[in-house]
Structures are given as structure tokens and as C-alpha cells.
Amino acid sequence: MAVIRRKNAVIAGVAATAIAAATLLSGCTTSSNCSTPTEVTWLGTIKVEIQDQFKSAIADYNKTNKDCVKVSIIDSPQNQSFLQTVTPMYSAGKAPTIMTALQELPDMASKVVDWTGTPLAKLAAPGTLDVANIGGKQVGLPVTAEAFGLLYNEAVLKKANVDPAKLNTVDALKTAFASIKATGVDPMHFSGLWWSLGAHFTNIYHTNAGGTPEANKAILDKLKAGTYNLSTDPVFNQWLDLMDTLKKNSTSTATIADTDYDKGVANLATGKTAFWFMGNWAEPNLLTTDPKGTFGINPVPISNDASAKANNSISVGVPFYMMVDKTQATQAQQEAATKVISWFLTTEAGQKHWAGSIADGNMSFIPVYSGFKVQPSTYMSKQIADYIAAGKTLQWVNSLYPSGLQEAYGAAAQKYYDGKIDRAGFAAALQAAWKK
């Protein structure tokens, strides 16, 4: 999907439509012990993949809480950015009470509550607050930790005699692809989704480009200043080699269409493909399709150096941060919002919804707060925990992208993915994205 820019007349109507939708998504009424609850709104369902589970959790909170709080969910359109959705809502005086974002945190810093020194912030794992600390103000709380890489169907790999633990070079990956093809299965589903290419796959380049977080940031600064030439960067060209290899070995049913995510789930879960470049947020969907399946996550090798950290690590980061509005929400609503978030992160019932098994109707988030009694139980989530414990993680440089960059990156990547531009054109398009 190309970057979508709706006309102002359409955007202006989003707030009214979204607020109206909230009345349909509020779930059960709040505890009968409360006659006049404080009403708060939550924009979106954090992730569309777990929208049903999130709605169920909010309905449970509304039905059982003793906080005298009622939460309504505001529908968040999937075909536009966070700022395209929330800006007209603020303009209309209908700002959501609770919302989640990542790249847009600096844009929201003046509008939201500062969590510095609060009990919830103190529970967050070391390092998970950093991205949301803007100018010394803690503008958000982390939702979870997520990882992306090469997801795989264990049964398909076993049939092809492929050991995922040994796929730590590009050549080893190519050999594995050949073995999988020999069994009659397509090796890859390489999605052309703009957000997968624009945020996650470009991170494979950026997290390897400098070798350290400081050097990675320096390259971003040079791109912003217009002084960096991607075409002459050997890591960039290695990354393009990798992209070409994945595309060459991808099933023909992988496309840039918005429906590609569902096709990727179906292909991997049913064994039509062996690998899928995606993240662990897809595991619930895979297990819903095949509850008995085993789906893992593997690093994405970018070179033939078997000892390179990049070839033995997965990209791990915080995908979203929770924010509470302070400009239009009353003090009572701000306090109520904190109670809702606290319920999820500190109570037995809330933690079950947050981190419990998807098979039991929960959201299966990997906890990043101390005191969690509910821990990951799925194969992939345990793998991710092992990678984190072993220090085999790569930076989410994409969390440093300015607002709108991943959309522009995604649009350019889709053109290269579809063969509409060559390498030089792709590099030029990525560099031009920083000028917008």
C-alpha cells in the first residue's frame, strides 16, 4: 500500500466518526456499585491482531472494576497514521484519554501526562522507558517487547532437514531454501506490506549500518542532513542482496496488497511456506489457524560471517507506548486512565488478559514490568525471552524514525519490491524521504 494522504474534508470527519464508534465498543457497563462512573476513552485496540482479545479485556474491566470507571474504545482507522487520526480529534475537542504510539511520541509530548517517578514507571524494565523519554519527560509507558525476524514453521523445516539454529549466514539460508524447494514447498512468504518493509525490513539495514547504537544514530543524522550516500554503503548493498534473495525465493502469492498479512498467516500456518519475515505479533494468528503447530523465530543473516552478532540476533524493541492526555482530559479522567492501565499491569485479572495465552482469549504480550505473575507460554515467546537473556538482540533503529518516515520508506520499498525502480532509484528515494 502506498502512503495514504486523505483529503482534509475526509480527515476532518474522522473525529466525529471515531467518537460515535466508541459508543458501540464500550462493552459491558461498569460495576453496579458505582452510580456515576468516570468515563475515559481508549483510541484503538493497541494492535489490530488482538482486537477481539483487547475488547474482551475492556469489557471485563468495565463489568468488574471497583474504580468507578467506564472505558469506551474508539475505533482507529488502519489506513491512516496515528497523527492523521488524532490531530482532528484534538481540534474537535474530542481527544482520546488513552492512546498508543511510537514515532509520534515527540509530537505528543506537550499534550500528555508525564509518568516520571510514578509507581507504574518504576515497575518498567530497564531500558524500556528510554525511547519515550522526551526532553526529560516520560511521555509514555511501554506496552510490551516484540521481536521480528524470520518466522518459521518447524514441521516444514524438519521435513526438509533444515536446522534453523545453523542459518547464520546468507549462504546457509540459500542452501536451506534449496532444500525446502526440493520438498515442493515455497521457502518464503516475503510480504510487501508497506509497514513491514518500511519499518521492520529497513531496520535490518539500519541496525547493521553502524555497528553500534551511536554509529547507527550518526547515520540517521547524516541522512537527515542530506550528506549520506546509501549507494556507496557496503552494508546497504548487502541488505539489498538479502532483499533480492528473499524476493526471489518468495511465494507468488506474496504482494503489496493490504490483505497480504492474512495470506502470510495462512501460508506459514498451513505449511505452504517455510519462512515469513514478520514479528511475534503474528504468533497468535498462526496458532489460531493451527493450534497444534510450532512456530519459531530466527535471525535474518545479512552477511556470510557466521560469528557476526547481527546474524545470530533478533530485532527486539517496544512497539508502542501508552499515553494519557492532559490537555482535554479532566484530572478525574487522568486518574481513571491510570487505574485502567494499573489494572492491566498489576492485578491478577488484568495480567491474565495482558500476558495470558491467546488460546485462552488473552493478548499474549511479553511482560516488561516487574511483579508479573503471568509469563509467556508459547514457543516463540519463550525463544524471544531466551534471546533477550543471552543478549542476542538488535536495536530497533526504526523507533528513532521521525513521524512519517516509515510510510515514505515503505512506499519506496514497495516500488523496489515490485521492480518499478532499480537499486539507485531505491537509494535515492530513501534519501529523499528524509527531506519531506
Side-chain angles (χ1 to χ4, degrees):
M1 177 178 71
V3 178
I4 293 175
R5 295 183 177 86
R6 288 178 172 264
K7 293 184 179 179
N8 292 336
V10 177
I11 295 178
V14 171
T17 302
I19 294 296
T23 61
L24 301 176
L25 297 170
S26 58
C28 302
T29 58
T30 194
S31 172
S32 57
N33 295 331
C34 178
S35 58
T36 309
T38 301
E39 298 195 16
V40 300
T41 56
W42 192 313
L43 178 61
T45 57
I46 304 180
K47 297 183 71 68
V48 68
E49 297 90 345
I50 47 88
Q51 60 181 326
D52 293 339
Q53 293 84 352
F54 181 81
K55 291 174 183 177
S56 176
I58 292 298
D60 187 22
Y61 176 79
N62 282 340
K63 182 178 180 180
T64 64
N65 84 81
K66 301 298 190 291
D67 300 325
C68 200
V69 174
K70 180 180 178 181
V71 184
S72 296
I73 302 171
I74 301 175
D75 182 45
S76 181
Q78 294 301 303
N79 59 353
Q80 59 191 34
S81 71
F82 171 79
L83 289 180
Q84 285 178 318
T85 298
V86 80
T87 300
M89 297 176 72
Y90 269 90
S91 297
K94 299 291 185 180
T97 319
I98 308 172
M99 56 207 120
T100 56
L102 181 60
Q103 283 90 353
E104 300 86 356
L105 292 170
D107 301 283
M108 299 300 297
S110 64
K111 299 180 176 68
V112 297
V113 168
D114 183 359
W115 295 95
T116 303
T118 62
L120 289 177
K122 291 178 180 178
L123 292 176
T128 59
L129 294 171
D130 296 352
V131 170
N133 193 288
I134 310 297
K137 178 180 177 181
Q138 192 61 47
V139 304
L141 295 173
V143 171
T144 183
E146 286 187 340
F148 52 84
L150 289 176
L151 307 192
Y152 62 84
N153 184 317
E154 187 178 64
V156 174
L157 296 193
K158 282 185 176 180
K159 185 178 179 180
N161 293 316
V162 171
D163 181 357
K166 296 180 180 179
L167 304 181
N168 55 1
T169 67
V170 174
D171 283 348
L173 188 63
K174 290 178 179 178
T175 299
F177 285 171
S179 297
I180 294 162
K181 280 184 179 179
T183 67
V185 174
D186 288 330
M188 275 292 302
H189 184 108
F190 187 36
S191 287
L193 294 160
W194 73 262
W195 51 266
S196 180
L197 295 174
H200 306 142
F201 196 68
T202 59
N203 185 72
I204 300 300
Y205 161 65
H206 278 299
T207 198
N208 285 289
T212 66
E214 294 77 16
N216 291 338
K217 177 64 164 56
I219 290 175
L220 297 186
D221 290 340
K222 290 178 182 178
L223 283 165
K224 183 177 181 181
T227 60
Y228 198 79
N229 187 347
L230 291 170
S231 292
T232 61
D233 181 347
V235 178
F236 180 75
N237 285 291
Q238 280 184 328
W239 175 71
L240 286 180
D241 290 341
L242 170 67
M243 188 172 183
D244 291 346
T245 296
L246 299 185
K247 186 68 168 64
K248 178 182 178 181
N249 288 278
S250 181
T251 176
S252 61
T253 60
T255 69
I256 66 171
D258 292 348
T259 54
D260 185 77
Y261 181 86
D262 292 338
K263 178 60 71 172
V265 170
N267 281 343
L268 191 68
T270 60
K272 292 181 179 179
T273 56
F275 292 99
W276 183 25
F277 178 76
M278 194 50 63
N280 69 296
W281 53 85
E283 188 184 25
N285 309 115
L286 294 167
L287 292 173
T288 298
T289 305
D290 181 6
K292 296 182 179 180
T294 300
F295 307 98
I297 185 169
N298 228 54
V300 184
I302 194 173
S303 72
N304 282 318
D305 181 358
S307 64
K309 180 180 179 181
N311 292 349
N312 296 279
S313 304
I314 57 176
S315 298
V316 178
V318 175
F320 296 106
Y321 286 84
M322 294 175 282
M323 300 174 289
V324 172
D325 171 67
K326 72 172 184 180
T327 62
Q328 296 182 19
T330 65
Q331 186 62 36
Q333 287 174 317
Q334 293 175 40
E335 293 173 359
T338 300
K339 291 177 182 178
V340 177
I341 296 172
S342 295
W343 178 77
F344 273 121
L345 303 180
T346 66
T347 72
E348 182 178 353
Q351 288 184 359
K352 182 179 179 182
H353 281 292
W354 201 255
S357 168
I358 200 76
D360 295 327
N362 303 306
M363 293 182 280
S364 196
F365 285 145
I366 297 174
V368 292
Y369 294 88
S370 61
F372 248 83
K373 296 180 180 179
V374 181
Q375 294 298 321
S377 60
T378 63
Y379 184 76
M380 195 183 300
S381 60
K382 289 179 179 178
Q383 279 187 307
I384 294 169
D386 288 343
Y387 275 107
I388 294 172
K392 294 183 176 182
T393 61
L394 299 173
Q395 180 191 15
W396 270 24
V397 182
N398 56 291
S399 66
L400 303 178
Y401 293 175
S403 177
L405 185 74
Q406 66 179 15
E407 289 87 350
Y409 263 19
Q414 285 185 326
K415 291 179 181 177
Y416 184 73
Y417 179 97
D418 272 350
K420 294 181 178 179
I421 55 176
D422 60 12
R423 288 189 171 204
F426 188 21
L430 295 179
Q431 289 169 205
W434 286 87
K435 300 176 183 178
K436 297 179 180 179

